[in-house]
Amino acid sequence: MEATVDPDKPALKADNRPLLVVVVMLANIMQILDSTIANVALPHMQAGLGATLDTVTWILTSYILAAAMAIPLTGWLADRIGSRNLFLLSIVGFTLSSVLCATATNLEQMVIYRVIQGMSGAFIMPLSQTVMLDINPPKKHPQAMAIWGMGVMIAPIMGPVIGGYITENFSWEWIFLINLPIGIIVVTMLWVLLPSRPITRRRFDLFGFSMFALFVASLQLLLDRGNHQDWFESWEIIIECGLAIAALWVYVVHTATAKNPFLSKHLYLNRNLATAMFLVVITGVVMFATMALLPPMLQNIYGYPPFEAGFLLAPRGLGFMISMGLAGRLSRSIDARIVVSSGLLIGACSTGMMTGWSLEMERWPIIISGFLQGIGMGAVFVSMNVLAFSTISMKNRTDAASLMNLARTIGSSIGIATFVGILGRNWQTSHADLAGQVTEAQLSPISPTSLERFGDYGGQLMMVIDAEVNPQALMIAYLDDFWLMTILTVICAPFAFLMKPPVSMEQDSATAASTAH
C-alpha cells in the first residue's frame, strides 16, 4: 500500500501551477485540433499532392492509425525516460512533423510525415491528463478534469471551423504551419515549468504490445475503410476483422497468464476504470458521430455555408464549458454516478429533439439541441473521469489515462464508421421507397413511361423529380441515425451505477486504490 495521500497536497509540486495548466491545455488543444482540422482541407490537398479521391483519405487514416498504435506505449515510455522528457519530445516531434507535412509535395511524403505526427502526438493527451491530476491536489481533481475536458471536447468542434477559414483564406499548408509558433511556445514553457515523475525501469512486454498494437491497427483499418470497401463484401475487411479478433484473443490470454504483462491486468479488473472505458466508447460513438454528421447535413440539406454551419455548432461547445464547470462543483455534493447517468439522459434528450427536425426549419432547434448535448456530455465527461481515476494509484495513472484516451479514439472511429455507413444505406433505401410512391396518377397528364417523346425535356423533368426526392430521403436517413443514437444512449445510462461511488476526498486515496484491486 502506498503512503497516505493528503487531499490538499498534489503528487507533484509545480512552481507556477496556473501557467502550467494553460500551457498543458495549449499543447492538448494543438494536438486535438490537428486530428480534425485537416478534414475540410482534403479536396485542396488532393489537388496539391496529385492524389485520387480514394487515396487522399490515407492522409487521415495514417494519422489515426499511428496515434492509436502509439497511445498504449505512453505509460511504459514515461516510466522509462521520464514523463517530463517524453512530454517535451512529443511536442518537439509533433511540431517538426507538422512543418514537414506542410512541405510535402506528393501523397507518399505526406503519409510518412502524418505517421510521424500521429506517433508523436499520441502521447500528448494521456500525459496532459496525467499532469493535470499530478499537479492538483486530490480534492481539486474534478475541477482539473473539467478544465482538461474543455480542450478535449471543444477542439474537435472548432477544428473544422478553423480549418475551413484557413483553407478558404490562405492555403492548406497553413493548417500545419500554424503549429510551429504554438509548438515553440509550449516547448519553452514546459521546459521551465514542468516537473517530472520518478524514472522506473519497467520491463517491456514486446509480445503483449505486439498483439495489442495488431488488434488496434486492424480494428482502426476496418473501421476507417469499411464504408469505402462495402464492409464484409471485401476480403480486405474480412482479413482485418479476423486479425483484430485473433490478436485480441491472444492478448487477453497473454495478459491473464504473464507475470509482467504489457499493461497490468489490475487495470482491466478495476470496475470503475473498465466501466468508464465502456462509457467513453459510447459517448465517443454518439458525440463524434454527431459532429461528423451535422456539418454536411447543415450544408447539404439546409444550405448553410461552411463557416456559418460551424458557428451553428458552436453552442455545443458553450454547453460543454458550462456543464464541466458545474459538474466539477457538483461532484463534491452529489454522487458522481448520478451526474454521469443524468448527463447521458440529457444527451439522449438532445438527439431525441433532432429526430423531430424537418427540411423547413429555423436555426433555433439546431442551437438548442446542440447546447443541450453539450450540457449532457460535459457532465458525463468530468464525472466519469473522476470516478475512473478515484480508484487508480498514482503509479498506474498514466497507463489508465492512455487506456481512457484509446477508448475515446476507438469510440469515435466506431461512431463515425457505423453511423455514416447506416446513413448511406438508409438514404438509398428511403430513396427507393419514396421513388416508388411517384405514380403516373401523381404526374398526370405526364407519365414516366411517356417521357421519351419529350426528348431532353423529359430527362430534365425526371431530374427535377429526383431533386425533390433526394433531400427527403436523406432527411429520413439522418432521422434514423438520430433515433439510433437516442436509444443507444438511454440504454447505457444505467451502466454508470456499475462503478463504485466516489471515495471521499478526506479518505486515503491510496487505500481506495488498493481496495479496488
Side-chain angles (χ1 to χ4, degrees), residues 40 160 293-310 478:
V40 294
L293 293 176
L294 288 183
M297 182 186 190
L298 295 179
Q299 295 174 52
N300 297 331
I301 290 183
Y302 296 105
Y304 292 110
F307 200 63
E308 189 173 353
Y478 273 112

Side-chain angles (χ1 to χ4, degrees), residues 98-158:
S98 296
V99 175
L100 289 175
C101 287
T103 64
T105 57
N106 55 59
L107 182 64
E108 290 76 16
Q109 288 182 359
M110 176 60 80
V111 169
I112 293 172
Y113 298 153
R114 286 284 279 178
V115 167
I116 299 172
Q117 189 185 38
M119 293 182 67
S120 302
F123 310 120
I124 295 175
M125 284 189 63
L127 288 173
S128 66
Q129 188 174 22
T130 304
V131 168
M132 293 292 286
L133 291 169
D134 285 348
I135 66 174
N136 285 281
K139 71 176 185 180
K140 290 188 177 180
H141 281 179
Q143 293 91 327
M145 288 298 93
I147 295 171
W148 185 81
M150 288 180 189
V152 172
M153 289 299 190
I154 294 173
I157 298 173
M158 298 307 297

Side-chain angles (χ1 to χ4, degrees), residues 488-512:
L488 178 65
T489 310
V490 169
I491 290 174
C492 291
F495 281 83
F497 292 95
L498 290 178
M499 291 185 276
K500 293 182 178 180
V503 181
S504 171
M505 290 302 176
E506 300 301 325
Q507 295 180 2
D508 178 2
S509 61
T511 302

Side-chain angles (χ1 to χ4, degrees), residues 147 177 181 259 279 293 330 402 447 482:
I147 295 171
L177 289 175
K259 290 184 179 180
L279 291 177
L293 293 176
L330 289 174
S402 66
S447 68
F482 296 147

